[in-house]
Amino acid sequence: MEIRTRFAPSPTGYLHIGGARTALFNWLFARHHNGKFILRIEDTDVARSTEESTQAILDGMQWLGLDYDEGPYFQSKRFDLYREHAYKLLETDKAYKCYCTAEELEQRRKDAMAQGKTPKYDGRCKSQGAGARVQGANDKPFAIRFKVSPGTTLVKDIIKGNVAFDNNEIDDLIILRSDGTPTYNLCVVVDDATMNITHVIRGDDHLNNAPKQILLYEALGYPVPEFAHLPMILGSDKTRLSKRHGATSVMAYKEMGYLPHALVNYLARLGWSHGDQEIFTIEELTEKFSFENVGKSSGVFNPEKLLWLNHHYIKEAKTDDLAKLLEPFLEVKGYAVGTIHELSLPNIVKTVQERSKTFVEMADAAEFYFKENIVYEEKAAQKFLTPDMIEIFEAIRTRLENVTTFSHEAIETVFNGIINEKGMKLGKVAQPVRVALTGGTVSPGIFEVIENFGKEKTVEKLKKAIAFIKQKG
RNA sequence: GGUCCCAUCGUCUAGAGGCCCAGGACGGAGCCCUCUCAAGGCUUAAACACGGGUUCGAAUCCCGUUGGGACCGCCA
């Protein structure tokens, strides 16, 4: 039988970390089994669903590389189907009309809470006999409630094992609102059944919904799918991950300069493991993924480890690829790609990639290459741009000007010549030059910096530094 | 409050009764390398929540306690 999984977000916000991991696990499971992965937008709550959210979710999935084989399906376009199912349950006496208003229900819930009792629907509309009021063509507004019969319902969960629920604990749930729109539990069941979903993989915050849904499958005469309830992702304070724990939007990570694969790798390893392995390609992930190795306990989202992974993948990446990805981050800083043509971006990337954990950091680290007029950091200038350096800078400048092939080796030779003659340590020369060329005391290796700038720019910046020293004092 | 889930270093985890005075990774500390910052190398601190069983033997099985989480909507 073909494995079919689905990711079913509600479009009431962007794709967040938790949703992304649920999507990823669904995707991995489907890909591992050569099955199908389906995307379904659960927008039955017309009031809260937005098109922007749908688009944001689509963007997030695309960025992560979670491609789907079917969909996106929209529940809002399938209302007739849900209604048919609701009425079918009504006709077969597995559901009943409820004339209680939302206000009444709310009041009763409050009263129950006030008395310290568990809020629960009292079933009054069930007992008053459907027959009496079902007929009338001009019925008062009513919702349709599903009749939960006594007994126990067993959820056979791939991750959690067998979980038994006493049906007494389950309310007669509303499946069709008084305005005729269907509710979540009905829609999920109808969709998963009609879309032939074989494995329902979702967060374990849905575990409590599983028995209700199983009862619905049974009442509707549909086969019950397999369930796999994933443990939650928590914030650092071990509560449900939310905005106060930092960025939770997948696309925010794109903007912060993360590689999608770093996020995918991180998310996969949060809750799933394969021995001691930390680094996985997509191929390895799909090949090795299995629920056998998905843990039962919730996990804390650890931004530091994600950052480490991102750094890892940046270090491993090809400079050409990184250069392309870096461009937008340079543009944000005001360096239009067109204006930085004289320098080779891949060569620049090569010098900053191992010291950049994100593209934002990389853009910062590379910024000095593009600044027309560098401003020396005050402390750095004071310490390193001193009168005794004028002679050194002059020597470097003239010798550099005479170099025929402006290579790393040639530059190094120039420096070695000077420090040998003067009996200086390289550090004594390199730091002042670094300040002269980059404005600060932190940069890639000085020879690479000079090589990237090229003869002309290097000479120009040295001259500027000399002038600065002279003018200063 | 009720129902349900969960419990190994700060964090993610390995561990399917003896291989474990518990291994890896992130983060931390220290050292080495070094033109700065990184990167890299080496070293190091750090955990089986607690209490009872079962067993020759328990991180691993059972029960309880404690702690954490989720859900209890005409939201999804």
Side-chain angles (χ1 to χ4, degrees):
Chain A
M1 187 177 66
E2 183 182 62
I3 300 289
R4 289 169 65 84
T5 67
R6 51 46 164 200
F7 175 52
S10 62
T12 52
Y14 46 72
L15 179 63
H16 56 88
I17 294 293
R21 191 185 59 153
T22 302
L24 174 64
F25 281 32
N26 272 284
W27 185 89
L28 287 173
F29 187 72
R31 292 288 170 263
H32 177 86
H33 291 284
N34 280 313
K36 293 277 192 295
F37 173 59
I38 292 140
L39 178 63
R40 182 173 75 224
I41 304 296
E42 309 220 321
D43 56 351
T44 53
D45 185 350
V46 193
R48 295 202 305 150
S49 301
T50 66
E51 260 177 56
E52 296 77 64
S53 294
T54 301
Q55 193 52 50
I57 289 164
L58 260 29
D59 291 345
M61 304 240 336
Q62 187 183 29
W63 185 63
L64 290 173
L66 303 179
D67 55 330
Y68 37 89
D69 305 295
E70 288 177 29
Y73 294 115
F74 290 87
Q75 289 190 325
S76 55
K77 296 190 179 141
R78 296 161 61 85
F79 276 14
D80 289 346
L81 185 67
Y82 309 129
R83 234 168 261 147
E84 279 170 32
H85 282 80
Y87 276 90
K88 185 179 156 199
L89 289 173
L90 192 61
E91 284 155 20
T92 51
D93 202 29
K94 286 168 178 163
Y96 57 91
K97 295 182 179 181
C98 175
Y99 294 90
C100 304
T101 65
E103 294 71 35
E104 287 166 359
L105 258 13
E106 185 55 33
Q107 189 54 47
R108 279 177 227 159
R109 190 173 302 120
K110 275 188 186 148
D111 292 346
M113 296 281 251
Q115 292 172 47
K117 286 194 283 193
T118 325
K120 197 167 182 299
Y121 179 64
D122 57 14
R124 64 178 66 187
C125 293
K126 172 162 69 178
S127 49
Q128 85 189 184
R133 293 160 91 170
V134 170
Q135 282 98 350
N138 37 9
D139 249 343
K140 281 201 301 181
F142 61 88
I144 297 182
R145 272 186 197 274
F146 178 60
K147 211 183 272 182
V148 175
S149 41
T152 73
T153 302
L154 185 67
V155 180
K156 293 177 191 163
D157 192 272
I158 300 172
I159 293 169
K160 305 282 184 184
N162 289 174
V163 185
F165 289 84
D166 187 335
N167 293 4
N168 281 325
E169 301 295 335
I170 306 170
D171 254 3
D172 281 356
L173 54 144
I174 286 174
I175 52 178
L176 202 71
R177 300 186 185 96
S178 47
D179 66 1
T181 59
T183 61
Y184 170 72
N185 282 296
L186 205 227
C187 298
V188 192
V189 169
V190 171
D191 282 341
D192 286 339
T194 55
M195 293 176 188
N196 298 310
I197 300 302
T198 57
H199 296 258
V200 172
I201 303 163
R202 74 238 292 197
D204 70 9
D205 47 339
H206 284 289
L207 189 54
N208 291 305
N209 284 322
K212 300 177 192 173
Q213 291 167 195
I214 288 172
L215 258 13
L216 277 169
Y217 278 105
E218 288 168 349
L220 256 10
Y222 286 126
V224 180
E226 302 280 333
F227 289 100
H229 286 95
L230 268 16
M232 303 257 80
I233 299 178
L234 275 23
S236 48
D237 60 356
K238 306 227 175 179
T239 61
R240 202 184 169 130
L241 190 67
S242 72
K243 267 151 260 170
R244 45 197 183 83
H245 299 108
T248 53
S249 151
V250 165
M251 291 313 263
Y253 284 89
K254 181 186 181 190
E255 280 155 32
M256 291 188 292
Y258 285 73
L259 256 3
H261 185 60
L263 226 204
V264 165
N265 193 150
Y266 177 74
L267 256 18
R269 247 334 245 90
L270 214 195
W272 171 83
S273 63
H274 186 262
D276 285 340
Q277 190 172 348
E278 297 285 353
I279 305 297
F280 297 85
T281 61
I282 288 288
E283 291 70 31
E284 286 175 307
L285 247 24
T286 56
E287 183 201 324
K288 290 169 176 168
F289 184 81
S290 147
F291 284 120
E292 300 255 302
N293 302 309
V294 172
K296 293 178 168 190
S297 52
S298 45
V300 174
F301 181 74
N302 183 351
E304 303 266 280
K305 188 158 182 181
L306 170 58
L307 195 60
W308 169 75
L309 273 165
N310 202 54
H311 192 193
H312 171 83
Y313 283 113
I314 283 181
K315 281 186 288 182
E316 299 249 301
K318 292 205 198 78
T319 52
D320 285 2
D321 297 338
L322 291 175
K324 268 256 168 292
L325 293 165
L326 178 62
E327 282 180 13
F329 292 89
L330 288 172
E331 278 168 21
V332 166
K333 293 175 77 75
Y335 303 101
V337 180
T339 68
I340 55 181
H341 60 282
E342 0 173 1
L343 304 176
S344 155
L345 201 48
N347 283 346
I348 285 170
V349 165
K350 195 186 289 177
T351 68
V352 292
Q353 76 183 111
E354 74 185 10
R355 56 204 95 209
S356 308
K357 294 191 177 80
T358 66
F359 285 113
V360 169
E361 284 188 15
M362 197 183 287
D364 286 344
E367 184 168 16
F368 73 87
Y369 281 116
F370 312 114
K371 272 193 171 153
E372 275 312 317
N373 292 302
I374 51 165
V375 179
Y376 307 118
E377 283 170 23
E378 204 178 307
K379 275 192 170 174
Q382 199 159 35
K383 183 167 179 194
F384 295 108
L385 297 184
T386 50
D388 56 317
M389 290 316 297
I390 294 176
E391 186 193 343
I392 307 284
F393 283 2
E394 285 289 4
I396 295 170
R397 200 205 81 199
T398 46
R399 292 186 201 193
L400 246 24
E401 278 178 331
N402 291 326
V403 166
T404 45
T405 46
F406 206 70
S407 67
H408 186 285
E409 294 72 37
I411 298 160
E412 190 165 357
T413 305
V414 166
F415 273 71
N416 282 336
I418 289 170
I419 62 171
N420 284 337
E421 288 162 27
K422 305 277 180 192
M424 300 172 84
K425 296 255 286 180
L426 180 56
K428 286 287 177 200
V429 179
Q431 275 307 79
V433 173
R434 174 168 285 115
V435 176
L437 297 188
T438 71
T441 54
V442 174
S443 88
I446 199 65
F447 305 137
E448 289 105 73
V449 169
I450 292 173
E451 188 184 6
N452 272 333
F453 270 131
K455 189 185 287 186
E456 197 182 319
K457 280 192 181 255
T458 304
V459 166
E460 174 196 322
K461 285 177 197 293
L462 282 173
K463 281 182 179 168
K464 248 182 203 166
I466 292 166
F468 172 83
I469 296 170
K470 285 182 174 163
Q471 169 258 320
K472 187 176 70 172

